[in-house]
Amino acid sequence: MECTMVIAGSAGEGIQTIGDVLADTLSSQGYAVFTWQEYESRIRGGQNSYTIRVSESPMNAPTVEADIFLYLNREALEKYSQRLKAGAILLGESAASESSIVVPFKDLARSVSGRTIYANTIAMGALAAVVGVEQAALEKVLTKEFAAKGDEVVRANHKAAALGFDHALQACRDRCPWTFPKKEKAYYLISGNEALALGAFHAGCRFIAAYPMTPSTGIITYLAKHWEKAGVFCEQAEDEIAAVNMALGASFAGARAMTATSGGGFALMVEGISLSGMTEVPLVIVLAQRPGPATGLPTRTAQGDLLFAVHAGHGEFPKAILAPSDAEDAVHTMCRAFHLADQFQIPVIVLSDQLLADSRFSIENFHLEKAVRRSFLADPKDFTDYKRYAFTETGVSPRLSPGQGPHLVTADSDEHDEWGHITEDLVVTAPSMHAKRLKKISFLQKAMQPPLAYRTEDAEDVFCTWGSTKGAALEAVEALRRTGARVGLLHWSELWPPPVAALPERVRLWAVENNATAQWASLMALGYGRTVDKKVLRHDGLPLTAHDIWRAYHDLA
Amino acid sequence: MTSPDLFNNHVAIQWCPGCPNFGILTAVKKALAGLGLKPHDVCLVSGIGQAAKLPHYLQCHFFNGLHGRAIPAALGIHAANPQLTTLVTTGEGDCYGEGGNHLLHAFRRNPHITVIVHNNEIYALTKGQGSPTTPAGEIRSLHVQGVEASPLNMLAVAVAHRCPFVARGFALDPDALTTLIMEAVQWPGLALVEVIQPCITWGRHPLDWYRERVRPIPQTHDPTDQEAALSLLLKEENRFMVGCFYKNDTRTLFGARFRQRFGDATLALSAFPSPERTLELLQEFRPAPCT
């Protein structure tokens, strides 16, 4: 059984709480849940939506059309009316059509407490009844959600939820086919930002500095909330320039360190990326993309900063670009990011986006044992005369941290000699040092992981995707295959330098991206000498869906 | 006490011959030695400019980063390894201009680091433009009819924000400067030491002009008195007054809560969390148990 619920309302009406609690409840019943949100950049008002997709096994990709539509006000219904499936059940305070289930949320709320503050809990209870989850399961999640606010608040929420539940149950008898009885299955339900933060922790990160910027803020928020358990030093910087330089300072001192931001903040960090390249101090930056240019659409999603990331930083130096596709991949990508940053002493940029950051994914097993974790810090005992920038076969010099022993550790943003002192020697030292850094690129490229190839063996059309569009692309491949179409998928989680890969010949390649200019396609041309034949691009601030790919395939193939 | 010679190295110095920066270099070495520190106990952090080259001219760990960014880099280093004695050497263009925001927020954070600002009232490395402390009216290459903007009085700003140690030194009196830096490095909290460093290439006055004007803070001044310190610093005629204006040892240190919980150990990578620890954190994302 599968179902998509859309909860729509103004900021401040509590759709986030309704969505989170419902998602947790369905998850607690053993179902796979995927949620995604789109919202306006404001604290109160506007119209936002929270979409819950529930299924027997994980379908970690966005759906748009609602089987059940809960609207907390009339404007929400008008705004999202195009998101209703034929025959969708509408749930609201007033009848919108024959298929409406009417529950007077605010009136019932007044009957509980004299005020309307429990209206969203009543709506939550009503939605639980419509989708067919047990009331007891909802109550358990509510208890957990409101435990910190005291027994009285928990009791009032239980009462409100029960009122909404009973009210809706009477109205939806025989009309709602869904039922989600308890199953013996358990998935983690975790957002992309939380998974990125946990991945950083697992990778040994001990320091994060960041300036709040949607949609990246959840990463430092998670680490700050759990600082005592995780042992991560969290610093809210005065700006993104400070954030990246703090991370570099901590990394220079031997700590695995990171920062996280979005496009505008990343623009400010660019000098730090170049500094990481020159000083060979490892750096991990999460760039959570949203539509630009400039402030753009601050709370929406896009994959529009790939080329910016690839080209970020003045001068020529190696860097790596990774792009996790879901919450499990986010954990492993962060481990990879710290690993590559450390191994090659370079900046590594992890491209997330609002879809990945805010969505909650159902993950059965994180397979933590598969994460390769290794320290590349050298042993001070191995040196008598230590040179921080010693010339080596691979261009990677043994790295010590200051305070590890008697050896002096240096970092210099000027061109420098092997000891890290400024040089103006254009004949030997400067060109050799430049060549030493660039030498790392070929070794780095060999370390990059190749794309996932899915059903490409007999494919005539191959979708080429990266980052958060993976779930939608996989779903589209499955759906199209069921209709006999010979389609396959190449999906990159590691993008730059382009990993060595043999792309299938004699197929049509499709760029499938959440941007307007097919940025990965232009890098494929650069890296693989291959031009894409077709493009499926979405750039309206909303996530690309399997349905978009399906439709484009039928229009263009 | 160690020997200042321990901090000598063989790097050719790029400063103009006779530059008062040499006096600051001598004072830094003597102060570090006077505190019994060894080169590997010390990390100097700098940005860009003539002052920012100082870390290259003595034996120690150093991070010579970007223009204006010495303070955030130093914060990161200090957060990761508070056992290192961390100093920032910077100019007023670097620290008050390009990186001014970082200094303001350092006043709030209060890390235990020392910031030595070589104040020559000029952009020297880029050949004589006005700086954040150039006196109004002074003719400079981009201000052909005189600088219109007023100079920053950063020591007054520091005192207004209760920066724990606020002092001014004179590069041509390295002995007094040594004493000031020693006290600054030991002082628990952020120490700002602005040093009058006349520019012998682009400056408008001979060195003796400065020698005639520099004078100590009156002995009657109580440096724990914030209002008294501020009132000294707000008088234009006191801009050549040297010594410690303000001291305060009551403020919470940067990272205090973290260090109280985890001690002073370095955050340098030594081991990875066990998968069990990560799984423990992941439990939060397991659905609520149903009974």
Side-chain angles (χ1 to χ4, degrees), chain A residues 274-297:
Chain A
S274 188
L275 179 62
S276 166
M278 182 54 138
T279 54
E280 306 191 52
V281 172
L283 173 67
V284 172
I285 302 181
V286 176
L287 164 51
Q289 302 162 100
R290 65 193 213 189
T295 308
L297 291 163

Side-chain angles (χ1 to χ4, degrees), chain A residues 27-29 140 186-190 194 198 201-203 206-207 222 225-226 228-229 231-233 235-239 241-242 245-246 249-250 252-256 271 366 373-375 402-403 407-414 420-422, chain B residues 9 11 14 39-40 43 48 53 56 59-66 69 72-73 75-77 79-81 84 101-102 105 109 254-255 257-258 261-262 267-269 272-273 275 277-291:
Chain A
S27 181
S28 74
Q29 292 294 86
K140 286 221 161 53
Y187 298 100
Y188 296 98
L189 184 58
I190 183 170
E194 289 157 342
L198 270 158
F201 167 76
H202 194 60
R206 298 292 307 276
F207 182 88
Y222 175 84
K225 185 175 160 199
H226 297 283
E228 282 192 279
K229 260 192 178 165
V232 177
F233 194 117
E235 185 63 16
Q236 181 181 335
E238 59 272 25
D239 57 37
I241 300 172
N245 281 282
M246 285 181 198
F252 169 75
R256 285 199 164 179
E271 63 168 29
F366 280 90
R373 300 180 300 166
R374 192 189 138 188
S375 169
H407 302 298
L408 296 182
V409 184
T410 60
D412 190 5
S413 72
D414 294 90
H421 289 299
I422 300 172
Chain B
N9 69 9
V11 175
Q14 296 177 358
H40 64 260
C43 187
I48 296 300
K53 290 177 182 170
H56 290 276
Q59 282 288 92
C60 63
H61 304 292
F62 69 81
F63 186 99
N64 180 183
L66 295 175
R69 314 306 169 208
L75 277 163
I77 292 165
N81 190 349
L84 292 169
N101 194 28
H102 308 310
H105 291 273
R109 288 193 181 97
F254 171 68
R257 205 171 286 133
F258 186 90
R261 172 72 180 73
F262 293 102
L267 304 183
L269 183 63
F272 293 98
R277 273 187 71 200
T278 307
L279 282 171
E280 196 186 314
L281 282 167
L282 273 168
Q283 284 318 301
E284 181 192 346
F285 304 102
R286 283 287 197 191
C290 273
T291 47

